[in-house]
Amino acid sequence: MENGEKKSKLITVLDTFGNLFVLNVLFILFSLPVITFGASLTAMYSTTLKMVKNEEGGIWKTFWKAFKSNFKKATLVWLMAAVVLVVIAGELLFAGSVTGAMSVFYLIVAAIEICVLCLTVGFLPAIIARYDNTVMNSIKNSLLLAISNLWSWIKVSLIWFMPIFFTFYYLDVLFIYTWYLWLIFIFALLAYCSSIVIIKVFDKVTRTQNANEEEKAEKEKIRQEIAKEKHEKIMNKMKSFENKQDE
């Protein structure tokens, strides 16, 4: 029995890594035009979110469907993020070219913008992948979700930041020996690990929404019952008044 369970777990792990390999290749290929990076990242998140819940079906079919359905929205968000990054880079360059209060001011502004951008993009691809909403509402919800679930946002940020930082910081050591791993499965693995965290946040949001809807339904039920009681009281008084008149 134990050997069967171990074999089953091993097959599940191998199947998952096989799917991550295919997904990683798709993500890289669809990101090559650069402008499609946002749509490719969103499609990868859409697939890994389904993988976490065992709802993915075929990897290619799930990825392609998400890529097509979210292309316009995800591409627009990616272009907006790119513009913001260019603006921040310009501010930092300007801050380095001047001295005194002006330099400090632009450094503070850039630091605030970086913080807001990081908070916003943490959950944004997953939100676009999961929920059908406008671009601005997706951005707003991503920022609010990050602020209200700060620890989860930190975990997602570390999942992405730490491997990328150490790989490129130790460019002469880590990158030389691990570059092919990024091509094989690392991007998809990071998205998958992030999705494990994010899906818990989404489930909490769903539970909260369901609880609010149940509370609203209960309040509406009570309101209707009160209105019905009032109506019955009024009708009873009217009947009583009519009976007195008849007498």
Side-chain angles (χ1 to χ4, degrees), residues 144-179:
L144 293 175
L145 204 60
I147 293 171
S148 59
N149 297 272
L150 196 56
W151 177 236
S152 295
W153 173 83
I154 290 172
K155 287 192 283 188
V156 170
S157 299
L158 289 176
I159 286 170
W160 280 97
F161 176 77
M162 296 303 288
I164 293 173
F165 173 78
F166 283 111
T167 298
F168 289 93
Y169 184 77
Y170 298 103
L171 198 63
D172 56 337
V173 180
L174 278 180
F175 185 74
I176 291 174
Y177 293 104
T178 63
W179 64 268

Side-chain angles (χ1 to χ4, degrees), residues 177-193:
Y177 293 104
T178 63
W179 64 268
Y180 62 93
L181 296 177
W182 289 92
L183 295 178
I184 294 173
F185 72 92
I186 288 184
F187 288 113
L189 179 62
L190 296 180
Y192 182 79
C193 293

Side-chain angles (χ1 to χ4, degrees), residues 5 7 18 34 40 50 63 67 102 135 141 147 157 162 165 168 176 180 195 204 212 217 222 227 232:
E5 289 180 358
K7 189 175 181 179
V34 181
S40 184
K50 287 182 171 65
F63 182 92
F67 183 87
M102 185 65 71
V135 169
N141 291 339
I147 293 171
S157 299
M162 296 303 288
F165 173 78
F168 289 93
I176 291 174
Y180 62 93
S195 295
K204 186 169 75 171
N212 290 338
I222 293 171
E232 288 177 351

Side-chain angles (χ1 to χ4, degrees), residues 8-18:
S8 177
K9 288 180 180 178
L10 179 61
I11 291 172
T12 301
V13 170
L14 292 174
D15 184 55
T16 300
F17 270 92

Side-chain angles (χ1 to χ4, degrees), residues 28-116:
I28 292 173
L29 289 176
F30 279 77
S31 297
L32 288 178
V34 181
I35 196 172
T36 59
F37 173 79
S40 184
L41 180 63
T42 300
M44 180 168 65
Y45 259 113
S46 179
T47 307
T48 53
L49 287 168
K50 287 182 171 65
M51 285 177 65
V52 170
K53 304 196 83 170
N54 296 316
E55 298 173 349
E56 74 274 13
I59 297 300
W60 160 250
K61 183 179 179 181
T62 304
F63 182 92
W64 177 240
K65 182 179 179 182
F67 183 87
K68 288 192 298 181
S69 61
N70 295 305
F71 181 81
K72 290 182 180 179
K73 191 190 303 181
T75 302
L76 179 58
V77 168
W78 161 236
L79 292 176
M80 290 169 66
V83 169
V84 172
L85 285 172
V86 170
V87 171
I88 292 173
E91 291 171 347
L92 291 173
L93 288 172
F94 183 77
S97 65
V98 297
T99 57
M102 185 65 71
S103 176
V104 174
F105 172 76
Y106 274 94
L107 285 173
I108 292 172
V109 170
I112 293 172
E113 289 171 346
I114 290 170
C115 288
V116 173

